[in-house]
RNA sequence: GUCCCUAUCGUCUAGCCUGGCCCAGGACACCGCCCUUUCACGGCGGCGACGGGGGUUCGAAUCCCCCUGGGGACGCCA
Protein backbone atom coordinates (compact mmCIF):
# COMPACT_ATOMS: atom_id res chain seq x y z
CA UNK A 1 0.00 0.00 0.00
CA UNK A 2 1.55 3.28 -1.09
CA UNK A 3 0.51 6.57 0.41
CA UNK A 4 -0.87 7.90 -2.84
CA UNK A 5 -4.32 9.31 -2.28
CA UNK A 6 -6.29 10.64 -5.23
CA UNK A 7 -9.91 11.57 -5.71
CA UNK A 8 -12.63 12.25 -8.20
CA UNK A 9 -14.94 15.05 -7.13
CA UNK A 10 -17.89 15.60 -9.45
CA UNK A 11 -20.64 18.08 -8.76
CA UNK A 12 -24.05 16.45 -9.04
CA UNK A 13 -25.66 18.93 -11.39
CA UNK A 14 -26.14 16.50 -14.27
CA UNK A 15 -25.05 13.14 -15.61
CA UNK A 16 -21.45 11.95 -15.71
CA UNK A 17 -20.01 13.25 -18.94
CA UNK A 18 -17.19 11.95 -21.09
CA UNK A 19 -14.61 14.35 -19.72
CA UNK A 20 -15.42 13.60 -16.11
CA UNK A 21 -15.29 9.90 -16.79
CA UNK A 22 -11.80 10.22 -18.21
CA UNK A 23 -10.63 12.22 -15.21
CA UNK A 24 -12.10 9.59 -12.91
CA UNK A 25 -10.39 6.86 -14.94
CA UNK A 26 -6.98 8.49 -14.69
CA UNK A 27 -7.37 8.81 -10.93
CA UNK A 28 -8.54 5.26 -10.59
CA UNK A 29 -5.73 3.82 -12.69
CA UNK A 30 -3.01 5.59 -10.80
CA UNK A 31 -4.47 4.60 -7.45
CA UNK A 32 -4.71 0.95 -8.45
CA UNK A 33 -1.26 0.95 -9.98
CA UNK A 34 0.41 2.34 -6.88
CA UNK A 35 -1.93 0.55 -4.54
CA UNK A 36 -3.01 3.89 -3.27
CA UNK A 37 -6.47 5.08 -2.40
CA UNK A 38 -9.13 6.41 -4.74
CA UNK A 39 -11.67 8.61 -2.99
CA UNK A 40 -15.02 9.66 -4.41
CA UNK A 41 -16.41 12.95 -3.19
CA UNK A 42 -19.64 14.58 -4.24
CA UNK A 43 -19.27 18.35 -4.47
CA UNK A 44 -22.76 19.49 -3.66
CA UNK A 45 -22.20 22.83 -2.01
CA UNK A 46 -24.44 24.43 -4.58
CA UNK A 47 -27.64 23.36 -2.91
CA UNK A 48 -29.74 24.95 -5.64
CA UNK A 49 -28.40 22.90 -8.50
CA UNK A 50 -27.38 19.64 -6.88
CA UNK A 51 -29.82 16.76 -7.16
CA UNK A 52 -30.06 13.22 -5.89
CA UNK A 53 -30.86 12.04 -9.42
CA UNK A 54 -27.51 13.36 -10.58
CA UNK A 55 -25.72 11.65 -7.72
CA UNK A 56 -27.38 8.36 -8.66
CA UNK A 57 -26.60 8.84 -12.33
CA UNK A 58 -22.95 9.50 -11.60
CA UNK A 59 -22.65 6.51 -9.29
CA UNK A 60 -24.32 4.31 -11.86
CA UNK A 61 -21.97 5.45 -14.61
CA UNK A 62 -18.92 4.89 -12.43
CA UNK A 63 -20.10 1.39 -11.68
CA UNK A 64 -20.74 0.68 -15.35
CA UNK A 65 -17.20 1.75 -16.19
CA UNK A 66 -15.85 -0.39 -13.39
CA UNK A 67 -14.37 2.47 -11.37
CA UNK A 68 -15.20 1.46 -7.83
CA UNK A 69 -13.88 3.84 -5.21
CA UNK A 70 -11.93 2.82 -2.12
CA UNK A 71 -13.42 5.50 0.09
CA UNK A 72 -16.64 7.45 -0.14
CA UNK A 73 -18.74 8.73 -1.60
CA UNK A 74 -18.41 11.65 0.76
CA UNK A 75 -20.85 14.53 0.52
CA UNK A 76 -19.78 18.09 1.08
CA UNK A 77 -23.27 18.93 2.20
CA UNK A 78 -22.56 16.79 5.29
CA UNK A 79 -19.53 18.85 6.16
CA UNK A 80 -20.78 22.43 6.36
CA UNK A 81 -19.90 22.70 10.04
CA UNK A 82 -16.26 22.02 9.25
CA UNK A 83 -16.20 24.66 6.53
CA UNK A 84 -17.85 27.23 8.82
CA UNK A 85 -15.23 26.57 11.41
CA UNK A 86 -12.41 27.08 8.91
CA UNK A 87 -13.93 30.30 7.62
CA UNK A 88 -14.11 31.59 11.18
CA UNK A 89 -10.52 30.57 11.71
CA UNK A 90 -9.44 32.60 8.70
CA UNK A 91 -11.42 35.61 9.88
CA UNK A 92 -9.97 35.34 13.38
CA UNK A 93 -6.49 35.21 11.96
CA UNK A 94 -7.13 38.27 9.82
CA UNK A 95 -6.85 36.23 6.61
CA UNK A 96 -10.45 36.74 5.59
CA UNK A 97 -13.00 39.48 5.98
CA UNK A 98 -16.66 40.31 5.57
CA UNK A 99 -17.61 42.08 2.37
CA UNK A 100 -20.87 44.00 2.14
CA UNK A 101 -20.72 44.90 -1.51
CA UNK A 102 -23.93 43.96 -3.26
CA UNK A 103 -24.19 41.69 -6.23
CA UNK A 104 -25.38 44.61 -8.34
CA UNK A 105 -22.35 46.70 -7.45
CA UNK A 106 -20.00 43.87 -8.28
CA UNK A 107 -21.71 43.11 -11.56
CA UNK A 108 -21.45 46.74 -12.57
CA UNK A 109 -17.76 46.91 -11.73
CA UNK A 110 -17.05 43.69 -13.55
CA UNK A 111 -18.80 44.90 -16.64
CA UNK A 112 -16.99 48.21 -16.54
CA UNK A 113 -13.62 46.50 -16.18
CA UNK A 114 -14.29 44.21 -19.14
CA UNK A 115 -15.34 47.18 -21.19
CA UNK A 116 -12.12 49.03 -20.44
CA UNK A 117 -10.10 45.96 -21.29
CA UNK A 118 -9.05 45.32 -17.73
CA UNK A 119 -9.24 41.98 -16.02
CA UNK A 120 -12.36 42.00 -13.84
CA UNK A 121 -11.22 41.81 -10.26
CA UNK A 122 -12.68 42.70 -6.92
CA UNK A 123 -11.33 46.13 -5.99
CA UNK A 124 -11.00 45.46 -2.26
CA UNK A 125 -13.61 47.98 -1.15
CA UNK A 126 -14.42 46.14 2.07
CA UNK A 127 -10.96 44.84 2.73
CA UNK A 128 -10.06 47.26 5.48
CA UNK A 129 -13.40 48.29 6.90
CA UNK A 130 -13.79 47.56 10.57
CA UNK A 131 -17.46 48.35 11.04
CA UNK A 132 -19.98 45.53 10.96
CA UNK A 133 -23.17 46.84 9.38
CA UNK A 134 -26.38 44.94 9.87
CA UNK A 135 -26.49 43.83 6.27
CA UNK A 136 -25.93 40.72 4.20
CA UNK A 137 -22.30 39.91 3.62
CA UNK A 138 -20.00 37.42 2.01
CA UNK A 139 -16.62 36.37 3.37
CA UNK A 140 -13.61 37.00 1.22
CA UNK A 141 -10.15 35.50 1.47
CA UNK A 142 -7.53 38.21 1.72
CA UNK A 143 -5.00 37.74 -1.04
CA UNK A 144 -1.61 37.42 0.71
CA UNK A 145 0.81 40.22 -0.07
CA UNK A 146 3.94 38.69 1.43
CA UNK A 147 5.03 37.68 -2.07
CA UNK A 148 3.87 38.72 -5.50
CA UNK A 149 3.55 35.45 -7.32
CA UNK A 150 2.61 31.81 -6.75
CA UNK A 151 4.04 28.86 -8.61
CA UNK A 152 3.05 25.23 -8.61
CA UNK A 153 4.62 22.38 -10.47
CA UNK A 154 2.02 20.63 -12.56
CA UNK A 155 2.73 16.93 -13.10
CA UNK A 156 1.53 17.20 -16.69
CA UNK A 157 2.24 20.76 -17.74
CA UNK A 158 5.30 21.60 -15.69
CA UNK A 159 5.79 24.73 -13.58
CA UNK A 160 3.04 27.33 -13.83
CA UNK A 161 3.32 30.77 -12.31
CA UNK A 162 0.64 33.35 -11.62
CA UNK A 163 1.33 36.88 -10.54
CA UNK A 164 -0.74 37.92 -7.56
CA UNK A 165 -1.86 41.06 -9.32
CA UNK A 166 -3.87 38.78 -11.58
CA UNK A 167 -5.76 37.50 -8.55
CA UNK A 168 -8.23 39.10 -6.19
CA UNK A 169 -9.92 38.47 -2.86
CA UNK A 170 -12.13 35.54 -3.63
CA UNK A 171 -15.41 34.78 -1.95
CA UNK A 172 -15.22 31.76 0.33
CA UNK A 173 -18.63 32.07 1.95
CA UNK A 174 -21.85 33.21 0.35
CA UNK A 175 -24.47 35.54 1.74
CA UNK A 176 -26.52 32.53 2.77
CA UNK A 177 -23.62 31.20 4.79
CA UNK A 178 -22.70 28.33 2.47
CA UNK A 179 -19.07 27.90 1.46
CA UNK A 180 -17.82 28.14 -2.10
CA UNK A 181 -15.91 25.70 -4.24
CA UNK A 182 -12.38 27.02 -3.91
CA UNK A 183 -12.56 26.86 -0.14
CA UNK A 184 -14.18 23.48 0.29
CA UNK A 185 -12.07 21.76 -2.31
CA UNK A 186 -8.98 22.79 -0.37
CA UNK A 187 -10.33 21.82 3.02
CA UNK A 188 -11.61 18.47 1.82
CA UNK A 189 -8.58 17.51 -0.21
CA UNK A 190 -6.42 18.41 2.76
CA UNK A 191 -8.59 16.76 5.40
CA UNK A 192 -8.96 13.65 3.27
CA UNK A 193 -5.23 13.43 2.84
CA UNK A 194 -5.30 13.82 -0.93
CA UNK A 195 -1.72 14.25 -2.09
CA UNK A 196 -2.23 14.29 -5.85
CA UNK A 197 -5.07 16.21 -7.43
CA UNK A 198 -5.86 15.03 -10.95
CA UNK A 199 -8.54 17.12 -12.62
CA UNK A 200 -9.49 18.92 -15.83
CA UNK A 201 -7.24 21.76 -16.91
CA UNK A 202 -10.12 24.20 -16.71
CA UNK A 203 -9.02 24.31 -13.07
CA UNK A 204 -5.52 25.55 -13.75
CA UNK A 205 -6.57 29.12 -13.08
CA UNK A 206 -8.07 28.17 -9.73
CA UNK A 207 -4.95 26.44 -8.57
CA UNK A 208 -2.91 29.44 -7.38
CA UNK A 209 -5.81 30.63 -5.25
CA UNK A 210 -6.13 27.17 -3.80
CA UNK A 211 -2.42 26.95 -3.08
CA UNK A 212 -2.74 30.19 -1.17
CA UNK A 213 -5.67 28.79 0.78
CA UNK A 214 -3.78 25.62 1.66
CA UNK A 215 -1.04 27.80 3.04
CA UNK A 216 -3.38 30.10 4.91
CA UNK A 217 -5.09 27.14 6.54
CA UNK A 218 -1.80 25.55 7.48
CA UNK A 219 -2.19 22.55 5.22
CA UNK A 220 0.54 21.05 3.08
CA UNK A 221 -0.02 21.62 -0.63
CA UNK A 222 -0.68 18.50 -2.73
CA UNK A 223 0.69 17.85 -6.18
CA UNK A 224 -1.46 18.77 -9.17
CA UNK A 225 -1.94 17.12 -12.54
CA UNK A 226 -4.21 18.97 -14.94
CA UNK A 227 -5.48 16.86 -17.79
CA UNK A 228 -6.46 18.57 -21.05
CA UNK A 229 -10.06 19.12 -22.07
CA UNK A 230 -11.98 17.08 -24.58
CA UNK A 231 -13.21 19.01 -27.61
CA UNK A 232 -15.83 18.37 -30.27
CA UNK A 233 -15.07 17.95 -33.95
CA UNK A 234 -15.15 21.73 -34.42
CA UNK A 235 -12.54 22.13 -31.67
CA UNK A 236 -15.10 23.70 -29.41
CA UNK A 237 -15.63 22.36 -25.95
CA UNK A 238 -17.48 19.06 -26.18
CA UNK A 239 -21.19 19.62 -25.79
CA UNK A 240 -24.58 18.19 -26.65
CA UNK A 241 -24.47 19.48 -30.18
CA UNK A 242 -21.50 17.22 -30.90
CA UNK A 243 -23.62 14.21 -29.96
CA UNK A 244 -24.01 12.36 -26.72
CA UNK A 245 -21.79 13.53 -23.87
CA UNK A 246 -23.28 11.39 -21.15
CA UNK A 247 -21.43 8.19 -20.42
CA UNK A 248 -24.64 6.29 -19.87
CA UNK A 249 -25.99 7.44 -23.22
CA UNK A 250 -23.24 5.32 -24.75
CA UNK A 251 -24.35 2.34 -22.74
CA UNK A 252 -27.81 2.87 -24.15
CA UNK A 253 -26.40 3.11 -27.66
CA UNK A 254 -24.89 -0.32 -27.23
CA UNK A 255 -21.30 0.42 -26.33
CA UNK A 256 -19.33 -1.85 -24.03
CA UNK A 257 -17.71 -0.35 -20.94
CA UNK A 258 -14.32 -1.77 -21.86
CA UNK A 259 -14.53 -0.01 -25.23
CA UNK A 260 -15.40 3.25 -23.51
CA UNK A 261 -12.56 2.89 -21.04
CA UNK A 262 -10.10 1.99 -23.78
CA UNK A 263 -11.22 4.92 -25.91
CA UNK A 264 -11.18 7.43 -23.09
CA UNK A 265 -7.72 6.52 -21.90
CA UNK A 266 -6.25 6.73 -25.40
CA UNK A 267 -7.69 10.19 -25.84
CA UNK A 268 -4.75 12.12 -24.48
CA UNK A 269 -2.59 9.23 -23.37
CA UNK A 270 -0.53 6.70 -25.27
CA UNK A 271 1.81 3.82 -24.75
CA UNK A 272 3.95 3.51 -27.87
CA UNK A 273 1.93 2.14 -30.75
CA UNK A 274 -0.47 0.13 -28.64
CA UNK A 275 -4.19 0.66 -29.11
CA UNK A 276 -5.91 -2.11 -27.21
CA UNK A 277 -5.79 -2.00 -23.44
CA UNK A 278 -7.69 -3.99 -20.87
CA UNK A 279 -8.24 -2.45 -17.46
CA UNK A 280 -5.42 -4.63 -16.12
CA UNK A 281 -3.09 -3.45 -18.90
CA UNK A 282 -3.93 0.10 -18.02
CA UNK A 283 -3.33 -0.35 -14.33
CA UNK A 284 0.07 -1.67 -15.22
CA UNK A 285 0.99 0.76 -17.97
CA UNK A 286 -0.74 4.06 -17.27
CA UNK A 287 1.45 7.00 -16.40
CA UNK A 288 0.99 10.73 -16.07
CA UNK A 289 4.22 11.29 -18.01
CA UNK A 290 2.57 10.01 -21.17
CA UNK A 291 -0.52 12.15 -20.86
CA UNK A 292 -0.53 14.80 -23.59
CA UNK A 293 -0.68 18.48 -22.84
CA UNK A 294 -3.02 19.66 -25.59
CA UNK A 295 -6.77 19.31 -25.76
CA UNK A 296 -8.07 16.37 -27.77
CA UNK A 297 -10.97 15.95 -30.15
CA UNK A 298 -13.56 13.33 -29.37
CA UNK A 299 -13.71 10.90 -32.27
CA UNK A 300 -16.79 8.64 -32.32
CA UNK A 301 -15.43 6.55 -35.23
CA UNK A 302 -12.53 5.35 -33.18
CA UNK A 303 -14.85 4.50 -30.32
CA UNK A 304 -16.87 2.50 -32.85
CA UNK A 305 -13.80 0.64 -33.95
CA UNK A 306 -12.89 -0.24 -30.38
CA UNK A 307 -16.43 -1.28 -29.63
CA UNK A 308 -16.56 -3.58 -32.63
CA UNK A 309 -13.23 -5.00 -31.55
CA UNK A 310 -14.54 -5.82 -28.10
CA UNK A 311 -17.75 -7.25 -29.50
CA UNK A 312 -15.74 -9.39 -31.90
CA UNK A 313 -13.47 -10.72 -29.21
CA UNK A 314 -15.95 -10.72 -26.34
CA UNK A 315 -17.30 -13.72 -24.47
CA UNK A 316 -20.52 -14.78 -26.23
CA UNK A 317 -22.19 -15.76 -22.97
CA UNK A 318 -21.68 -12.29 -21.57
CA UNK A 319 -22.66 -10.58 -24.81
CA UNK A 320 -25.82 -12.65 -24.91
CA UNK A 321 -26.81 -11.32 -21.50
CA UNK A 322 -26.00 -7.77 -22.52
CA UNK A 323 -27.84 -8.09 -25.81
CA UNK A 324 -31.12 -9.33 -24.39
CA UNK A 325 -32.41 -6.00 -23.10
CA UNK A 326 -31.65 -4.41 -26.46
CA UNK A 327 -33.79 -7.01 -28.19
CA UNK A 328 -36.55 -6.57 -25.67
CA UNK A 329 -36.43 -2.84 -26.34
CA UNK A 330 -37.27 -3.62 -29.93
CA UNK A 331 -40.27 -5.61 -28.79
CA UNK A 332 -38.63 -8.94 -29.57
CA UNK A 333 -39.80 -11.91 -27.53
CA UNK A 334 -36.48 -13.52 -26.68
CA UNK A 335 -38.07 -16.55 -25.06
CA UNK A 336 -39.49 -17.62 -28.35
CA UNK A 337 -36.46 -18.29 -30.44
CA UNK A 338 -33.07 -19.90 -30.82
CA UNK A 339 -30.30 -19.98 -28.25
CA UNK A 340 -29.11 -16.46 -27.58
CA UNK A 341 -25.47 -17.44 -27.35
CA UNK A 342 -25.62 -19.12 -30.74
CA UNK A 343 -27.28 -16.01 -32.14
CA UNK A 344 -24.55 -13.78 -30.74
CA UNK A 345 -21.79 -15.91 -32.22
CA UNK A 346 -23.16 -15.38 -35.73
CA UNK A 347 -23.21 -11.62 -35.27
CA UNK A 348 -20.05 -10.76 -33.36
CA UNK A 349 -18.09 -10.00 -36.52
CA UNK A 350 -20.79 -7.90 -38.06
CA UNK A 351 -21.99 -5.59 -35.32
CA UNK A 352 -20.43 -2.36 -34.14
CA UNK A 353 -22.79 -1.87 -31.21
CA UNK A 354 -25.26 -3.95 -29.28
CA UNK A 355 -28.00 -1.90 -30.89
CA UNK A 356 -26.74 -2.99 -34.28
CA UNK A 357 -26.45 -6.55 -33.07
CA UNK A 358 -30.04 -6.47 -31.88
CA UNK A 359 -31.13 -5.23 -35.28
CA UNK A 360 -29.21 -8.01 -36.94
CA UNK A 361 -30.58 -10.61 -34.54
CA UNK A 362 -34.25 -9.69 -34.67
CA UNK A 363 -35.03 -11.97 -37.62
CA UNK A 364 -34.06 -15.05 -35.61
CA UNK A 365 -36.93 -14.42 -33.25
CA UNK A 366 -39.56 -13.33 -35.77
CA UNK A 367 -42.73 -15.39 -35.90
CA UNK A 368 -43.50 -14.21 -39.40
CA UNK A 369 -40.87 -12.84 -41.73
CA UNK A 370 -41.44 -9.45 -43.22
CA UNK A 371 -39.64 -9.31 -46.52
CA UNK A 372 -37.79 -6.22 -47.63
CA UNK A 373 -39.56 -4.94 -50.72
CA UNK A 374 -36.53 -4.92 -52.99
CA UNK A 375 -35.28 -8.26 -51.75
CA UNK A 376 -38.62 -9.91 -52.31
CA UNK A 377 -38.99 -8.52 -55.81
CA UNK A 378 -35.56 -9.65 -56.80
CA UNK A 379 -35.24 -13.04 -55.18
CA UNK A 380 -38.69 -14.38 -54.33
CA UNK A 381 -39.80 -14.66 -57.93
CA UNK A 382 -42.05 -17.31 -59.51
CA UNK A 383 -39.13 -19.05 -61.18
CA UNK A 384 -37.72 -19.99 -57.77
CA UNK A 385 -40.45 -22.57 -57.22
CA UNK A 386 -38.30 -25.45 -58.42
CA UNK A 387 -35.28 -24.30 -56.42
CA UNK A 388 -37.16 -24.07 -53.16
CA UNK A 389 -38.88 -27.40 -53.75
CA UNK A 390 -35.55 -29.11 -54.17
CA UNK A 391 -34.09 -27.21 -51.24
CA UNK A 392 -36.89 -28.34 -48.96
CA UNK A 393 -36.46 -31.91 -50.12
CA UNK A 394 -32.71 -31.96 -49.55
CA UNK A 395 -32.84 -30.14 -46.24
CA UNK A 396 -35.47 -32.56 -45.10
CA UNK A 397 -33.01 -35.36 -45.58
CA UNK A 398 -30.64 -33.81 -43.04
CA UNK A 399 -30.75 -35.54 -39.70
CA UNK A 400 -29.49 -32.44 -38.00
CA UNK A 401 -28.44 -29.04 -39.31
CA UNK A 402 -24.70 -29.15 -38.94
CA UNK A 403 -22.14 -27.91 -41.39
CA UNK A 404 -21.38 -31.33 -42.90
CA UNK A 405 -25.01 -32.20 -43.52
CA UNK A 406 -25.78 -28.78 -44.91
CA UNK A 407 -22.87 -28.97 -47.31
CA UNK A 408 -24.15 -32.27 -48.60
CA UNK A 409 -27.63 -30.87 -49.02
CA UNK A 410 -26.39 -27.81 -50.88
CA UNK A 411 -24.18 -29.88 -53.11
CA UNK A 412 -27.23 -31.89 -54.08
CA UNK A 413 -29.24 -28.74 -54.78
CA UNK A 414 -26.46 -27.28 -56.89
CA UNK A 415 -26.26 -30.53 -58.78
CA UNK A 416 -29.99 -30.72 -59.28
CA UNK A 417 -30.49 -27.13 -60.40
CA UNK A 418 -27.18 -26.43 -62.06
CA UNK A 419 -27.03 -23.22 -60.03
CA UNK A 420 -23.97 -21.82 -58.31
CA UNK A 421 -24.00 -21.55 -54.55
CA UNK A 422 -24.67 -17.83 -54.60
CA UNK A 423 -27.74 -18.22 -56.75
CA UNK A 424 -29.18 -20.54 -54.15
CA UNK A 425 -28.03 -18.77 -51.02
CA UNK A 426 -29.47 -15.36 -51.77
CA UNK A 427 -33.10 -16.40 -52.35
CA UNK A 428 -32.83 -18.69 -49.36
CA UNK A 429 -31.46 -15.84 -47.28
CA UNK A 430 -34.43 -13.68 -48.16
CA UNK A 431 -36.77 -16.54 -47.25
CA UNK A 432 -35.04 -17.09 -43.93
CA UNK A 433 -34.26 -13.55 -42.86
CA UNK A 434 -36.40 -11.26 -44.97
CA UNK A 435 -33.37 -9.40 -46.29
CA UNK A 436 -30.22 -9.75 -48.33
CA UNK A 437 -27.65 -9.22 -45.59
CA UNK A 438 -27.18 -11.70 -42.78
CA UNK A 439 -24.68 -14.05 -41.21
CA UNK A 440 -23.46 -17.00 -43.25
CA UNK A 441 -26.36 -19.01 -44.61
CA UNK A 442 -25.10 -22.21 -42.97
CA UNK A 443 -24.99 -20.48 -39.62
CA UNK A 444 -28.44 -19.05 -40.04
CA UNK A 445 -29.75 -22.48 -40.88
CA UNK A 446 -27.94 -24.08 -37.95
CA UNK A 447 -29.15 -21.52 -35.44
CA UNK A 448 -32.71 -21.53 -36.69
CA UNK A 449 -32.87 -25.31 -36.72
CA UNK A 450 -34.54 -27.63 -39.17
CA UNK A 451 -38.13 -27.13 -38.20
CA UNK A 452 -38.10 -23.35 -38.14
CA UNK A 453 -36.02 -23.10 -41.31
CA UNK A 454 -38.35 -25.31 -43.30
CA UNK A 455 -41.31 -23.40 -41.95
CA UNK A 456 -39.81 -20.17 -43.22
CA UNK A 457 -38.95 -21.59 -46.61
CA UNK A 458 -42.49 -22.87 -47.04
CA UNK A 459 -43.82 -19.49 -46.03
CA UNK A 460 -41.66 -17.90 -48.70
CA UNK A 461 -42.81 -20.37 -51.32
CA UNK A 462 -46.35 -19.29 -50.57
CA UNK A 463 -45.60 -15.70 -51.56
CA UNK A 464 -43.51 -16.36 -54.66
CA UNK A 465 -44.64 -14.20 -57.50
C1' G B 1 -9.72 42.66 -23.45
C1' U B 2 -6.39 40.39 -19.52
C1' C B 3 -4.05 36.11 -17.70
C1' C B 4 -2.96 30.78 -18.07
C1' C B 5 -2.26 26.51 -21.12
C1' U B 6 -1.18 24.56 -25.89
C1' A B 7 0.63 23.44 -31.28
C1' U B 8 3.33 16.34 -35.72
C1' C B 9 -1.44 13.33 -41.08
C1' G B 10 -8.95 15.09 -41.14
C1' U B 11 -8.80 12.68 -35.87
C1' C B 12 -6.01 10.05 -31.62
C1' U B 13 -0.88 9.83 -31.34
C1' A B 14 4.96 7.87 -31.56
C1' G B 15 9.32 10.66 -31.99
C1' C B 16 11.02 16.05 -28.79
C1' C B 17 13.73 16.12 -22.39
C1' U B 18 19.29 13.07 -23.95
C1' G B 19 19.67 17.31 -32.03
C1' G B 20 21.79 13.17 -36.91
C1' C B 21 18.81 6.14 -36.84
C1' C B 22 12.71 10.69 -39.37
C1' C B 23 12.55 12.90 -47.20
C1' A B 24 8.64 11.41 -39.72
C1' G B 25 6.19 5.52 -37.33
C1' G B 26 1.30 3.39 -35.60
C1' A B 27 -4.13 3.62 -35.13
C1' C B 28 -9.19 5.43 -36.68
C1' A B 29 -11.55 7.31 -40.97
C1' C B 30 -11.19 7.39 -46.35
C1' C B 31 -9.72 5.07 -51.29
C1' G B 32 -8.04 0.66 -54.15
C1' C B 33 -7.02 -4.60 -54.63
C1' C B 34 -7.51 -9.65 -52.68
C1' C B 35 -10.65 -13.17 -49.98
C1' U B 36 -16.00 -14.21 -50.39
C1' U B 37 -22.90 -17.34 -50.64
C1' U B 38 -24.94 -11.66 -48.87
C1' C B 39 -23.41 -8.17 -45.19
C1' A B 40 -19.38 -8.07 -42.57
C1' C B 41 -14.41 -9.94 -40.77
C1' G B 42 -9.61 -10.44 -42.47
C1' G B 43 -5.09 -9.59 -45.64
C1' C B 44 -2.31 -6.25 -48.79
C1' G B 45 -1.52 -1.41 -50.74
C1' G B 46 -2.56 3.94 -51.13
C1' C B 47 -3.75 9.04 -49.61
C1' G B 48 -2.17 12.07 -45.68
C1' A B 49 1.37 16.02 -40.96
C1' C B 50 6.39 18.43 -38.22
C1' G B 51 1.45 26.13 -38.34
C1' G B 52 4.75 30.60 -40.06
C1' G B 53 9.21 33.45 -39.46
C1' G B 54 13.78 34.24 -37.32
C1' G B 55 17.94 32.29 -34.80
C1' U B 56 21.69 28.36 -32.47
C1' U B 57 24.29 24.20 -34.96
C1' C B 58 28.24 20.82 -39.68
C1' G B 59 23.09 19.15 -38.89
C1' A B 60 16.51 20.85 -35.91
C1' A B 61 10.08 17.77 -35.82
C1' U B 62 13.59 17.85 -31.78
C1' C B 63 17.02 23.72 -28.46
C1' C B 64 15.86 29.49 -28.13
C1' C B 65 12.82 33.93 -29.64
C1' C B 66 8.70 36.23 -32.13
C1' C B 67 4.09 35.70 -34.69
C1' U B 68 -0.21 33.08 -35.68
C1' G B 69 -3.84 29.40 -34.61
C1' G B 70 -6.58 26.59 -30.85
C1' G B 71 -8.32 25.81 -25.83
C1' G B 72 -9.25 27.51 -20.84
C1' A B 73 -10.13 31.07 -16.92
C1' C B 74 -11.79 35.83 -15.50
C1' G B 75 -19.25 33.75 -11.02
C1' C B 76 -22.14 34.70 -4.06
C1' C B 77 -20.95 27.45 -10.56
C1' A B 78 -17.92 23.56 -9.73
Amino acid sequence: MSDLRVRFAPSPTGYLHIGGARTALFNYLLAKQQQGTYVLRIEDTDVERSTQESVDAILQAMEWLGLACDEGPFYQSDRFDLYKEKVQQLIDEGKAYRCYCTQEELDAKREAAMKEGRKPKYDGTCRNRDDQPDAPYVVRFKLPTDRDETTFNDRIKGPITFRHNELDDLIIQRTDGTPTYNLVVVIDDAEMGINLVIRGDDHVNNTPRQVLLYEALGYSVPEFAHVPMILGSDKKRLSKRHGATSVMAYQEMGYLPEAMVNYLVRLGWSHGDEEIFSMDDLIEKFSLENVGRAAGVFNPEKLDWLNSHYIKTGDPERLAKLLTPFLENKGVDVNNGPDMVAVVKTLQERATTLVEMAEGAAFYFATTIEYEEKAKNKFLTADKQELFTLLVAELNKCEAFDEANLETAFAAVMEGTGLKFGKIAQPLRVALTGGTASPSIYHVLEVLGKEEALKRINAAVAVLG
Side-chain angles (χ1 to χ4, degrees), chain A residues 140-388:
Chain A
R140 285 181 187 272
F141 173 59
K142 203 180 284 182
L143 181 73
T145 49
D146 53 339
R147 60 169 194 267
D148 59 5
E149 60 179 41
T150 291
T151 298
F152 63 95
N153 190 25
D154 193 276
R155 286 280 296 274
I156 291 170
K157 295 170 187 288
I160 299 176
T161 299
F162 284 83
R163 299 195 53 79
H164 283 16
N165 59 20
E166 295 297 331
L167 276 24
D168 64 358
D169 294 346
L170 83 159
I171 293 171
I172 55 178
Q173 187 178 90
R174 304 182 182 97
T175 309
D176 66 3
T178 58
T180 61
Y181 167 74
N182 280 299
L183 196 244
V184 296
V185 74
V186 166
I187 294 174
D188 283 341
D189 282 339
E191 297 285 341
M192 294 178 186
I194 304 302
N195 44 29
L196 172 59
V197 174
I198 306 172
R199 71 215 322 187
D201 77 3
D202 47 341
H203 286 291
V204 167
N205 295 273
N206 287 326
T207 308
R209 306 166 181 284
Q210 291 172 14
V211 168
L212 261 11
L213 275 167
Y214 276 101
E215 291 171 349
L217 288 162
Y219 294 129
S220 62
V221 182
E223 286 196 287
F224 295 95
H226 288 99
V227 315
M229 302 276 86
I230 298 177
L231 275 24
S233 50
D234 57 358
K235 300 257 182 152
K236 300 290 181 202
R237 197 174 183 150
L238 192 65
S239 69
K240 277 68 62 190
R241 60 203 176 77
H242 298 109
T245 54
S246 155
V247 168
M248 290 317 278
Y250 285 87
Q251 190 256 2
E252 284 161 27
M253 291 187 289
Y255 290 86
L256 266 22
E258 58 269 41
M260 198 70 209
V261 164
N262 198 149
Y263 179 70
L264 252 20
V265 80
R266 274 288 288 108
L267 180 50
W269 173 85
S270 63
H271 190 265
D273 287 341
E274 290 178 60
E275 293 290 346
I276 306 295
F277 299 92
S278 68
M279 192 66 98
D280 286 343
D281 290 335
L282 292 173
I283 289 170
E284 183 192 330
K285 295 170 177 171
F286 182 76
S287 69
L288 250 22
E289 288 65 44
N290 293 313
V291 173
R293 285 156 302 175
V297 173
F298 183 76
N299 179 211
E301 283 78 30
K302 190 138 186 182
L303 207 211
D304 281 347
W305 175 72
L306 282 164
N307 205 53
S308 61
H309 168 80
Y310 284 107
I311 284 181
K312 230 174 292 169
T313 56
D315 169 32
E317 304 267 353
R318 170 176 172 247
L319 291 173
K321 284 197 190 76
L322 293 175
L323 178 64
T324 303
F326 286 93
L327 279 165
E328 285 168 343
N329 265 351
K330 293 172 65 71
V332 172
D333 179 5
V334 297
N335 298 311
N336 178 37
D339 175 47
M340 189 64 78
V341 176
V343 166
V344 165
K345 283 179 178 169
T346 66
L347 290 161
Q348 280 181 278
E349 290 199 337
R350 12 179 80 73
T352 296
T353 64
L354 292 173
V355 166
E356 259 186 49
M357 190 181 268
E359 279 160 12
F363 80 85
Y364 283 117
F365 303 90
T367 43
T368 51
I369 297 296
E370 287 184 27
Y371 307 104
E372 285 170 20
E373 188 68 20
K374 279 173 71 179
K376 179 175 185 291
N377 292 341
K378 184 168 179 190
F379 293 105
L380 297 186
T381 48
D383 60 318
K384 298 295 190 305
Q385 185 76 49
E386 189 192 348
L387 166 65
F388 280 122

Side-chain angles (χ1 to χ4, degrees), chain A residues 83-154:
Chain A
Y83 309 137
K84 264 254 149 70
E85 191 183 300
K86 294 295 177 182
V87 168
Q88 192 55 51
Q89 180 190 323
L90 288 172
I91 292 176
D92 292 346
E93 293 172 356
K95 295 172 179 170
Y97 61 92
R98 293 179 177 188
C99 167
Y100 299 87
C101 296
T102 65
Q103 194 122 212
E104 292 68 39
E105 290 168 350
L106 296 174
D107 288 347
K109 283 178 182 174
R110 184 154 36 231
E111 204 173 309
M114 282 281 218
K115 221 172 191 168
E116 292 169 34
R118 287 181 294 114
K119 187 166 185 146
K121 289 192 304 182
Y122 179 60
D123 60 7
T125 301
C126 298
R127 192 170 196 177
N128 296 313
R129 69 190 296 168
D130 35 28
D131 58 333
Q132 289 206 356
D134 181 22
Y137 64 89
V138 297
V139 177
R140 285 181 187 272
F141 173 59
K142 203 180 284 182
L143 181 73
T145 49
D146 53 339
R147 60 169 194 267
D148 59 5
E149 60 179 41
T150 291
T151 298
F152 63 95
N153 190 25
D154 193 276

